[in-house]
Amino acid sequence: MLVAGRQELCRARDPPQGDQAARSRLDPAARGPLEAHRREAEPAWHLVLFHGLRRGKLTALAWDEVDLDAEVIHISEQTVAISYEVHQDTPKADSVRDIKLNRDSVILLRAWREEQATEREQWTSASVPAPTEAADRVFTKEERSMYHPQFFSDHWDRLVERSGLPPIRLHDGRHEAASLALAAGVAPKVVQAMLGHAPVETIDSYQVPPARPEKAAAMKRAMKRQRRRVA
């Protein structure tokens, strides 16, 4: 079910272009319900569904920890919400890791980096100062301030509701990443490293049952369709 609804969750609207558009976005009432999230939704959901990132890792991820030429991201920071107040934190030792990106994630991140740079130039032209705490973050609000981790959960829930799917948590996307990797034949130890799990036994709960080979085949077909859509 989660695989079937993945394309709905990855959709985002194209933002308007030009300096006037940048200025008009200063008024939240002028934005559509999804426009504020822009095209960054595609790489964000891709990192959740194919690489198992948690929402706190999404909000903390910085461009200087993304090597698109080597197709790797380095996870060394996260944000946590305590009584809704956001704090920067260092993940536990087994969660500090490098994650190998798939080709589609690299394409989406390259496109998003270019779009984000254009957006930031527009805001600079509109004389809007950049918040220092989010200057190099991969995923930020349009005016360059940091997202609260709950934003990703709330936006995910709205997209799931609009898609007509049964309730699916954002954290379930992390389980999906493990299941897809295992179904594609990735070794459990590699999946363990991708997710930042300590015991490899934890991965057993994500394994596709041998009695359901058609499910694994469907997952592989879905991954191929996703690659064709992005290319």
Side-chain angles (χ1 to χ4, degrees):
M1 187 68 74
L2 183 55
V3 174
R6 202 171 40 199
Q7 290 188 357
E8 282 292 330
L9 297 175
C10 288
R11 281 191 191 132
R13 292 175 55 184
D14 291 342
Q17 301 298 317
D19 291 345
Q20 185 59 41
R23 293 189 181 92
S24 69
R25 289 181 197 161
L26 292 170
D27 178 9
R31 306 180 192 178
L34 293 182
E35 191 169 20
H37 202 54
R38 301 110 73 209
R39 194 183 297 276
E40 70 182 334
E42 297 179 57
W45 299 150
H46 222 262
L47 291 177
V48 172
L49 289 166
F50 288 94
H51 304 293
L53 263 66
R54 301 177 186 270
R55 66 180 194 175
K57 306 297 195 305
L58 285 176
T59 55
L61 186 63
W63 281 117
D64 61 6
E65 295 195 326
V66 177
D67 188 337
L68 295 179
D69 292 329
E71 301 183 348
V72 169
I73 58 174
H74 181 63
I75 303 298
S76 65
E77 190 178 0
Q78 64 182 359
T79 59
V80 295
I82 302 174
S83 298
Y84 204 74
E85 184 177 346
V86 178
H87 301 269
Q88 304 297 316
D89 191 24
T90 301
K92 55 187 178 181
D94 52 21
S95 292
V96 176
R97 62 199 187 275
D98 288 339
I99 297 178
K100 182 68 174 177
L101 298 173
N102 62 34
R103 180 176 61 89
D104 296 346
S105 293
V106 171
I107 293 171
L108 288 169
L109 283 167
R110 283 190 192 279
W112 168 238
R113 185 170 61 181
E114 292 176 2
E115 183 173 314
Q116 186 187 62
T118 300
E119 277 188 352
R120 292 182 173 184
E121 288 176 3
Q122 293 172 348
W123 282 87
T124 299
S125 299
S127 300
V128 178
T132 56
E133 77 277 5
D136 191 44
R137 302 296 181 188
V138 174
F139 304 112
T140 64
K141 296 179 184 178
E142 193 170 342
E143 80 282 5
R144 298 161 290 184
S145 63
M146 287 187 67
Y147 280 122
H148 190 288
Q150 186 63 35
F151 172 84
F152 287 101
S153 295
D154 291 344
H155 191 71
W156 174 279
D157 290 343
R158 287 195 296 272
L159 291 177
V160 169
E161 183 178 3
R162 287 184 56 189
S163 72
L165 294 169
I168 301 170
R169 303 171 305 159
L170 177 60
H171 191 76
D172 292 333
R174 180 173 163 84
H175 298 174
E176 175 78 351
S179 295
L180 285 170
L182 291 167
V186 178
K189 189 70 174 176
V190 176
V191 178
Q192 172 202 7
M194 178 184 73
L195 297 180
H197 279 315
V200 71
E201 290 79 10
T202 307
I203 303 302
D204 292 341
S205 62
Y206 301 135
Q207 182 64 275
V208 178
R212 296 290 303 278
E214 71 280 2
K215 183 176 181 179
M219 287 179 175
K220 290 180 180 179
R221 289 195 298 271
M223 292 176 76
K224 289 180 180 178
R225 287 196 300 269
Q226 178 73 3
R227 285 195 292 269
R228 287 197 296 269
R229 185 180 70 84
V230 173

